[in-house]
Amino acid sequence: MREHICGFWYVFLTRAFFLFPAYIENMRNKAVIDLRILRENALAVKAGLKDGAQLNAVVKANAYGHGDAECANALYDIADSYSVALAEEGVRLRRAGIDKPILVLIEPFESDARLFARYGLTASVSSVETLKILHIAAAEQNAVIPFHIKVNTGMNRLGTDAEGAERIAAEAERFKGVRCTGIYSHLAVPEEKAVLSEQRKAFLLAYNRVKGYNKDIKAHLSASGGYLQGEYFDLCRIGILLYGYKPFESDAVQVRPVMSVRAPTLTVRKLKAGERILYGNTPLERDCTASIYRYGYADGLARKQSGNLLNNRCMDLSAAEGAYEEIDVLRDLERKAKESGTITYEMLCGAANRCERVYLR
């Protein structure tokens, strides 16, 4: 009898062992990133650049949630350079085989200055103090660190004024191991031409004072919004357009979303008006069919009700009106972002938090 029982459990557990991974696979959320569309978007943007302006691909924040190393490599033959926010992001790209210029948009701390020398990263500089930090790191490793001067033209976030920019350019000639290769700023409201014009004037003032020290430096003012307004200079830092969205309405270029995030439905319920669903005491106003699916605010998107959600998300689950086998939570993302009081950038960055990433090449 004991042998029969043991044999039964052996067969049961053996079969369960093989079935369990397939079950888990079907229950996981998937972020499907189509690198072919990413390339199409990049080529469309690059075709719109004028007067030899270059394409700088912004892959900070894990390429807005799409996977920085994968996206950077997919764009390698299209992008002229890259931008990231943090030194460690630049290091990750170097280790993934990216050997083109990588601009780090946040100024270096003393603790990470050595990374710029070791990995050949381009620093952002808005003070002579930062220049000194880079000089010391470069001397320690017998390296040359390129840098771009960051100019504040009215966003009042980071950067120096025209006088400070000239001071940095002049001081750079005294320090060994650092080399000014660019100057840039960031547009606060690119969709408003009047504000853009004022920022452009402030940038040109700084640029004209700095280029006397190095006429070959690259000037850049525009991210995706500035590009849509035709402000190219020597290069454009393109982020959100690469991933298929626009910062504001424009016909300057056509792009398509690169990522979909697919969550499986666990159960479908028929509900009556007056019943409740998920947390809260708000009754349904009408009879409906609800799909309960495996995506919650811990997976990345906002808790607040938007789109066809029924009530707010739970931490791990959501409910949508209708019957579905799976749901693409990024469908109609611009509308959902607006209803959630945010922007597509924020939603993309976190949307694939607990997903398996699948890349289409």
Side-chain angles (χ1 to χ4, degrees), residues 68-307:
D68 51 12
E70 293 83 359
C71 289
N73 274 300
L75 295 171
Y76 185 82
D77 62 327
I78 303 172
D80 299 290
S81 58
Y82 299 86
S83 282
V84 295
L86 309 173
E88 54 264 36
E89 295 176 331
V91 170
R92 192 158 56 243
L93 294 190
R94 288 285 187 246
R95 290 176 173 172
I98 300 299
D99 57 4
K100 293 186 176 183
I102 300 172
L103 173 63
V104 180
L105 298 169
I106 304 296
E107 283 194 76
F109 294 99
E110 189 172 356
S111 58
D112 62 14
R114 292 179 181 86
L115 296 176
F116 288 81
R118 189 178 309 153
Y119 291 95
L121 305 176
T122 302
S124 293
V125 173
S126 63
S127 71
V128 174
E129 288 70 27
T130 299
L131 206 59
K132 291 176 180 177
I133 289 172
L134 294 174
H135 161 69
I136 293 169
E140 287 178 352
Q141 301 189 45
N142 192 29
V144 175
I145 301 176
F147 71 90
H148 289 197
I149 299 172
K150 177 62 184 291
V151 181
N152 175 28
T153 56
M155 193 171 186
N156 294 314
R157 184 172 62 173
L158 297 172
T160 186
D161 57 14
E163 184 178 339
E166 185 175 7
R167 188 182 309 117
I168 291 167
E171 290 291 323
E173 295 196 335
R174 298 195 306 109
F175 290 120
K176 291 182 179 179
V178 294
R179 185 176 75 254
C180 182
T181 58
I183 182 169
Y184 76 102
S185 189
H186 198 84
L187 296 170
V189 199
E191 61 270 36
E192 295 188 16
K193 290 269 191 177
V195 179
L196 187 158
S197 179
E198 287 301 312
Q199 286 197 260
R200 191 179 197 276
K201 289 177 184 177
F203 179 64
L204 283 173
L205 178 63
Y207 176 39
N208 288 331
R209 294 178 71 163
V210 166
K211 70 180 180 181
Y213 295 87
N214 182 355
K215 62 180 177 60
D216 295 323
I217 61 171
K218 293 188 182 300
H220 47 111
L221 180 62
S222 294
S224 292
Y227 168 88
L228 294 177
Q229 297 284 43
E231 295 289 341
Y232 306 132
F233 281 86
D234 294 317
L235 64 86
C236 288
R237 306 179 306 270
I238 303 298
I240 196 69
L241 286 172
L242 293 178
Y243 308 110
Y245 298 90
K246 298 177 184 179
F248 51 85
E249 289 187 17
S250 171
D251 295 326
V253 68
Q254 298 304 315
V255 294
R256 294 190 292 150
V258 171
M259 177 166 63
S260 62
V261 173
R262 302 170 187 175
T265 295
L266 305 181
T267 187
V268 176
R269 295 184 178 279
K270 297 284 189 180
L271 299 170
K272 298 289 187 183
E275 291 189 290
R276 295 164 181 81
I277 188 165
L278 306 185
Y279 291 119
N281 196 32
T282 303
L284 293 169
E285 296 180 354
R286 62 182 185 278
D287 294 357
C288 72
T289 300
S291 294
I292 312 297
Y293 60 99
R294 229 305 290 132
Y295 193 98
Y297 58 79
D299 294 286
L301 291 187
R303 173 178 177 268
K304 185 179 178 181
Q305 182 178 1
S306 64

Side-chain angles (χ1 to χ4, degrees), residues 33-36 70 74 358-361:
I33 298 108
D34 196 327
L35 298 176
R36 299 166 299 185
E70 293 83 359
V358 178
Y359 290 94
L360 305 180
R361 293 176 169 86

